[in-house]
């Protein structure tokens, strides 16, 4: 009998594959989709899908489950009256993540700092757009940056997707904001970097470490965590190479952000004096940049590395001396990459040297040099020279 039912389901499944019962409807100014069809004496109705593809995915899912005889268990799993965002987050924590470990750790921290108090008690099947709008409004009132708020909203998106995949909700809740993430924010030029290195304050014995940090990050196209993660054993002065193979993130030493490494990054002649000076300053420390108190001989912390905030706090203050507002360390990396691009260096070379893919370089790490574009355009795009 079960075999006969499965054969009937199989026939129904393919008879419906040519035409999916999906309809569009509107609520206020928003467009949604719904499904309404009959299969194996079952009436299937669902609405609230934010696009046609998600409605189609649901139809295919139901058809497959009915064919396999697992639809009743699926219906049972959708009873989510007891599932709050807090419970959902606990389940997500224990699940196999679709994001990198470092991203997962960042999301966990943001959830506990910002999301939990606002959403933790809300049941997932009661969550709606007004909750999300209220959350964004509250965060903006705290004068947090659009980038920070966007990342908090990204945590919600991940949880909503997880709830949908688990069957706790029948459709994905649209999470739309009017926030604009900053792109191509390169606020410092190479000239200003070298001006920064010459500041009298950075020649003081207790501040030379920061001068060396700036030079090393700039010349290595490095991320902040990669510089902080450099150890003495990674530097070969004789062969003039550096092994960029790890980073410090959340006070933990681990792989680089995307796992890419360069075991023999060449030490630029102009960078060599800064590295030698920092090797001397850091003395017997395992890491090239120990905590600031190390340089005064009063190191009372158990930490092995300098703190991110110490670097960025000093950079923000010193950046104003060279005409740069709100300078932070990642802009040093963006500046050197952008400089290489504008000088015509192969994108493939920069992709290797900066340990980043081409799409990210073009989207986040470059800005057009309008003056150079004008000269190049007038010189190269000249049809009158053809055939002459």
């Amino acid at each position: 009998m079960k075999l006969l039912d499965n054969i009937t389901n199989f026939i129904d499944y393919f008879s419906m594959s040519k035409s999916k019962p999906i309809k569009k409807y509107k609520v206020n100014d928003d467009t949604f989709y719904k499904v309404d069809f009959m299969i194996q004496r079952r009436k299937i109705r669902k609405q609230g899908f934010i696009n046609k593809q998600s409605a189609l995915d649901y139809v295919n899912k139901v058809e497959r489950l009915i064919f396999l005889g697992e639809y009743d268990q699926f219906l049972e799993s959708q009873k989510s009256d007891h599932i709050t965002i807090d419970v959902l987050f606990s389940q997500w924590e224990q699940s196999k993540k679709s994001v990198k470990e470092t991203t997962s750790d960042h999301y966990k921290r943001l959830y506990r700092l910002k999301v939990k108090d606002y959403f933790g008690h809300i049941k997932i099947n009661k969550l709606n757009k007004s909750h999300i709008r209220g959350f964004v409004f509250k965060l903006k009132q705290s004068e947090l940056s659009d980038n920070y708020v966007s990342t908090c909203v990204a945590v919600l998106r991940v949880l909503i997707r997880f709830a949908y995949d688990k069957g706790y909700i029948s459709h994905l809740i649209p999470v739309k904001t009017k926030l604009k993430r900053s792109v191509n924010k390169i606020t410092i030029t190479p000239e200003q970097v070298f001006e920064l290195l010459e500041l009298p304050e950075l020649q003081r014995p207790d501040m030379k470490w920061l001068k060396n940090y700036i030079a090393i990050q700039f010349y290595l196209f490095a991320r902040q965590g990669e510089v902080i993660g450099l150890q003495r054993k990674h530097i070969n002065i004789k062969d003039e190479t550096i092994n960029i193979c790890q980073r410090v993130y959340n006070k933990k030493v681990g792989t680089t952000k995307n796992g890419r490494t360069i075991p023999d990054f060449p030490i630029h002649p102009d960078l060599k004096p800064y590295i030698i000076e920092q090797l001397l300053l850091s003395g017997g420390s395992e890491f090239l940049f120990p905590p600031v108190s190390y340089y005064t001989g009063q190191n009372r912390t158990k930490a092995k590395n300098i703190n991110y905030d110490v670097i960025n706090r000093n950079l923000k203050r010193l950046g104003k001396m060279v005409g740069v507002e709100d300078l932070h360390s990642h802009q040093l990396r963006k500046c050197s990459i952008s400089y290489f691009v504008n000088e015509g260096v192969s994108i493939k070379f920069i992709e290797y040297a900066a340990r980043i893919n081409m799409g990210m370089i073009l989207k986040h790490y470059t800005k057009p040099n309008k003056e150079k574009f004008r000269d190049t355009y007038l010189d190269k795009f000249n049809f009158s020279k053809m055939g002459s």
Side-chain angles (χ1 to χ4, degrees), residues 250-354:
N250 282 343
K251 300 180 182 179
K252 297 177 185 176
V253 178
T255 60
T256 59
K257 185 175 181 180
N258 53 17
R260 297 186 186 183
T261 62
I262 299 185
D264 53 358
F265 196 105
I267 296 176
H268 194 283
D270 294 341
L271 174 61
K272 191 173 181 178
Y274 295 101
I275 291 178
I276 292 173
E277 183 176 50
Q278 188 56 31
L279 284 169
L280 294 172
L281 284 174
S282 57
S285 170
E286 177 186 0
F287 287 87
L288 194 60
F289 289 95
V292 172
S293 56
Y294 186 92
Y295 306 112
T296 62
Q298 299 174 342
N299 188 18
R300 297 173 183 173
T301 176
K302 293 182 180 179
K304 294 184 177 181
N305 317 93
I306 195 164
N307 188 282
Y308 275 50
D309 292 337
V310 173
I311 296 170
N312 287 320
R313 194 164 55 244
N314 278 290
L315 284 178
K316 188 172 183 178
R317 178 175 56 83
L318 296 173
K320 294 175 182 177
M321 297 183 186
V322 296
V324 181
E325 288 293 327
D326 199 26
L327 176 63
H328 58 82
S329 66
H330 200 66
Q331 289 171 21
L332 297 170
R333 170 176 162 87
K334 287 190 173 185
C335 174
S336 53
I337 292 174
S338 180
Y339 173 76
F340 257 54
V341 172
N342 286 329
E343 285 300 303
V345 176
S346 164
I347 291 287
K348 292 298 290 181
F349 168 82
I350 300 170
E351 185 178 27
Y352 170 76

Side-chain angles (χ1 to χ4, degrees), residues 60-75:
N60 290 333
K61 182 177 183 178
V62 169
E63 290 175 342
R64 185 177 68 255
L65 290 170
I66 289 177
F67 171 66
L68 295 173
E70 299 173 359
Y71 183 65
D72 290 333
Q73 297 95 306
F74 170 67
L75 283 179

Side-chain angles (χ1 to χ4, degrees), residues 172-326:
L172 294 172
I173 303 163
V175 182
K176 297 179 182 178
T177 67
K178 294 182 179 180
L179 301 168
K180 292 183 178 179
R181 296 184 69 91
S182 58
V183 177
N184 294 337
K185 187 179 179 183
I186 306 166
T187 59
I188 190 169
T189 64
E191 292 76 18
Q192 288 171 315
V193 171
F194 295 121
E195 190 180 345
L196 196 62
L197 291 171
E198 296 298 322
L199 285 176
E201 184 172 343
L202 292 185
Q203 314 316 313
R204 287 178 6 209
D206 63 325
M207 291 299 288
K208 284 183 177 180
W209 67 268
L210 183 57
K211 175 190 67 176
N212 298 331
Y213 172 89
I214 292 168
I216 290 170
Q217 184 169 18
F218 179 76
Y219 277 99
L220 296 184
F221 311 110
R223 300 176 178 90
Q224 185 174 30
E226 292 170 348
V227 179
I228 296 175
L230 282 174
Q231 295 177 264
R232 305 177 77 82
K233 65 183 180 181
H234 298 148
I235 299 166
N236 189 327
I237 293 296
K238 183 180 177 181
D239 292 342
E240 298 186 333
T241 60
I242 292 181
N243 181 6
I244 303 175
C245 60
Q246 65 184 31
R247 68 165 174 164
V248 172
Y249 186 80
N250 282 343
K251 300 180 182 179
K252 297 177 185 176
V253 178
T255 60
T256 59
K257 185 175 181 180
N258 53 17
R260 297 186 186 183
T261 62
I262 299 185
D264 53 358
F265 196 105
I267 296 176
H268 194 283
D270 294 341
L271 174 61
K272 191 173 181 178
Y274 295 101
I275 291 178
I276 292 173
E277 183 176 50
Q278 188 56 31
L279 284 169
L280 294 172
L281 284 174
S282 57
S285 170
E286 177 186 0
F287 287 87
L288 194 60
F289 289 95
V292 172
S293 56
Y294 186 92
Y295 306 112
T296 62
Q298 299 174 342
N299 188 18
R300 297 173 183 173
T301 176
K302 293 182 180 179
K304 294 184 177 181
N305 317 93
I306 195 164
N307 188 282
Y308 275 50
D309 292 337
V310 173
I311 296 170
N312 287 320
R313 194 164 55 244
N314 278 290
L315 284 178
K316 188 172 183 178
R317 178 175 56 83
L318 296 173
K320 294 175 182 177
M321 297 183 186
V322 296
V324 181
E325 288 293 327
D326 199 26

Side-chain angles (χ1 to χ4, degrees), residues 5-21 37-42 56 59-60 63-64 66-67:
D5 285 342
N6 282 345
I7 293 172
T8 307
N9 292 341
F10 185 79
I11 294 170
D12 285 346
Y13 180 84
F14 282 96
S15 67
M16 294 183 59
S17 62
K18 294 181 180 179
S19 176
K20 300 299 181 186
F37 64 98
M38 179 78 75
I39 180 171
Q40 190 57 26
R41 300 183 296 278
R42 293 178 183 270
L56 182 60
V59 171
N60 290 333
E63 290 175 342
R64 185 177 68 255
I66 289 177
F67 171 66

Side-chain angles (χ1 to χ4, degrees), residues 29-188:
D29 293 329
D30 294 322
T31 300
F32 294 94
Y33 293 83
K34 62 182 178 181
V35 299
D36 188 348
F37 64 98
M38 179 78 75
I39 180 171
Q40 190 57 26
R41 300 183 296 278
R42 293 178 183 270
K43 186 69 173 176
I44 310 298
R45 284 179 175 171
K46 280 286 179 184
Q47 62 182 23
F49 299 97
I50 59 173
N51 54 52
K52 190 173 183 179
Q53 185 58 50
S54 59
L56 182 60
D57 289 344
Y58 181 79
V59 171
N60 290 333
K61 182 177 183 178
V62 169
E63 290 175 342
R64 185 177 68 255
L65 290 170
I66 289 177
F67 171 66
L68 295 173
E70 299 173 359
Y71 183 65
D72 290 333
Q73 297 95 306
F74 170 67
L75 283 179
E76 188 65 29
S77 72
Q78 284 195 306
K79 293 178 181 177
S80 55
D81 291 344
H82 62 293
I83 301 292
T84 63
I85 301 292
D86 231 9
V87 172
L88 184 72
F89 177 75
S90 297
Q91 292 183 7
W92 178 79
E93 271 192 303
Q94 297 165 20
S95 68
K96 185 178 180 181
K97 310 294 187 302
S98 59
V99 294
K100 291 180 291 188
E101 183 181 354
T102 52
T103 305
S104 174
D105 290 342
H106 187 43
Y107 282 2
K108 290 175 186 177
R109 189 166 61 254
L110 282 179
Y111 179 82
R112 294 185 173 96
L113 283 174
K114 300 296 179 184
V115 181
K116 180 181 173 69
D117 288 345
Y118 193 92
F119 285 102
H121 64 286
I122 298 174
K123 293 177 181 176
I124 184 61
N125 61 348
K126 301 295 182 184
L127 183 66
N128 56 50
K129 289 191 293 184
S130 63
H131 289 131
I132 297 163
R133 283 195 291 263
F135 177 61
V136 171
F137 179 75
K138 180 183 177 182
L139 292 181
K140 289 298 290 178
Q141 278 190 319
S142 303
E143 297 185 355
L144 297 168
S145 70
D146 279 6
N147 280 11
Y148 188 93
V149 177
S150 293
T151 309
C152 290
V153 172
V155 176
L156 273 179
R157 285 197 181 96
V158 168
L159 292 177
I160 290 169
R161 181 79 226 189
F162 180 71
Y164 175 75
D165 291 341
K166 292 281 286 184
Y168 295 147
I169 52 177
S170 61
H171 61 276
L172 294 172
I173 303 163
V175 182
K176 297 179 182 178
T177 67
K178 294 182 179 180
L179 301 168
K180 292 183 178 179
R181 296 184 69 91
S182 58
V183 177
N184 294 337
K185 187 179 179 183
I186 306 166
T187 59
I188 190 169

